[in-house]
Amino acid sequence: PPDADTTLVISPNRPRLTGQTMQTLRWKDNRWQADFDYFLTVTEGQVEQIRLDIPTWWSGPFRVTPAATVEAVKVPGRDRRRLVIRPRTAIASQYHMHLEAALPSTDDQHLRVPHITTLNRGQVERFLVLPTRLNRQQLVWTTRGLQPAELPSSLELPPVARHAPRVVRVVHDPFTAIPQPLPEATTA
């Protein structure tokens, strides 16, 4: 029989978190690829899944590190999907997730930068790392909803982006980032 002095208290899990995201574009295997790094700190509760809002045209396959279950769910009535990432264990402190996937080519060879938004409640600062060169071709970006920024000291540029990238912070959604002149798809 249970001890008369034992009390079971069940509290709702209302996680509080802060975070930073860094989205990097790179040319790999003759196509553009997006890398998305999410650095989050849980200050209260636990995060059992990471939810991202992504465009429907960015269809993967998605590779996630550390290993996790990934599910893409269509959002009715919107041209968006929910990417639900379930780590193997609940997140109760600091966590770094890396997501990568190739970007689809378009008929007009334009590079589309996916708008990736975190849906977990919390304050999240978002950065884009845009390449300024593709092989020997210089890339100049036309942007809207973005402002020049420096990465916080807590974030480090990935090796593929260390050659003079343009770092910007997302200040308004939806943002636009278009390279000019547009790179040729056949450039290797």
Side-chain angles (χ1 to χ4, degrees), residues 33 38-39 55 158 185:
Q33 177 166 314
Y38 188 11
F39 301 86

Side-chain angles (χ1 to χ4, degrees), residues 9-185:
V9 177
I10 299 175
S11 300
N13 181 28
R14 293 190 182 110
R16 289 185 178 209
L17 63 93
T18 59
Q20 296 169 324
T21 67
M22 179 173 60
Q23 185 175 337
T24 308
L25 300 176
R26 62 182 166 126
W27 187 256
K28 179 182 177 185
D29 300 330
N30 290 323
R31 65 188 308 175
W32 285 103
Q33 177 166 314
D35 292 300
F36 180 80
D37 288 279
Y38 188 11
F39 301 86
L40 66 136
T41 301
V42 179
T43 57
E44 189 174 305
Q46 295 184 342
V47 173
E48 296 174 354
Q49 61 185 13
I50 295 170
R51 295 176 302 121
L52 303 175
D53 184 64
I54 64 171
T56 54
W57 54 261
W58 194 38
S59 58
F62 299 102
R63 291 170 297 287
V64 176
T65 309
T69 303
V70 179
E71 178 185 9
V73 179
K74 176 79 173 113
V75 178
R78 293 194 60 214
D79 193 26
R80 307 289 293 170
R81 291 192 302 162
R82 299 289 185 261
L83 198 61
V84 180
I85 301 159
R86 293 180 185 89
R88 292 187 176 171
T89 59
I91 304 164
S93 59
Q94 293 186 335
Y95 190 78
H96 171 209
M97 180 204 71
H98 177 80
L99 168 74
E100 62 183 69
L103 296 173
S105 56
T106 61
D107 294 338
D108 57 6
Q109 301 304 318
H110 282 81
L111 168 63
R112 291 193 290 182
V113 179
H115 298 129
I116 306 169
T117 307
T118 60
L119 297 174
N120 298 75
R121 292 180 187 218
Q123 199 167 23
V124 178
E125 199 173 19
R126 297 165 49 204
F127 295 92
L128 270 68
V129 179
L130 305 172
T132 55
R133 299 193 74 71
L134 176 59
N135 295 323
R136 293 187 179 100
Q137 184 176 9
Q138 184 173 355
L139 300 176
V140 178
W141 291 85
T142 301
T143 63
R144 188 186 67 196
L146 304 169
Q147 71 180 197
E150 288 189 24
L151 284 179
S153 60
S154 58
L155 299 181
E156 186 176 322
L157 285 174
V160 297
R162 290 198 175 132
H163 183 68
R166 180 172 179 199
V167 177
V168 292
R169 176 191 332 258
V170 177
V171 293
H172 185 267
D173 275 315
F175 65 82
T176 304
I178 302 169
Q180 300 289 337
L182 295 176
E184 297 177 355

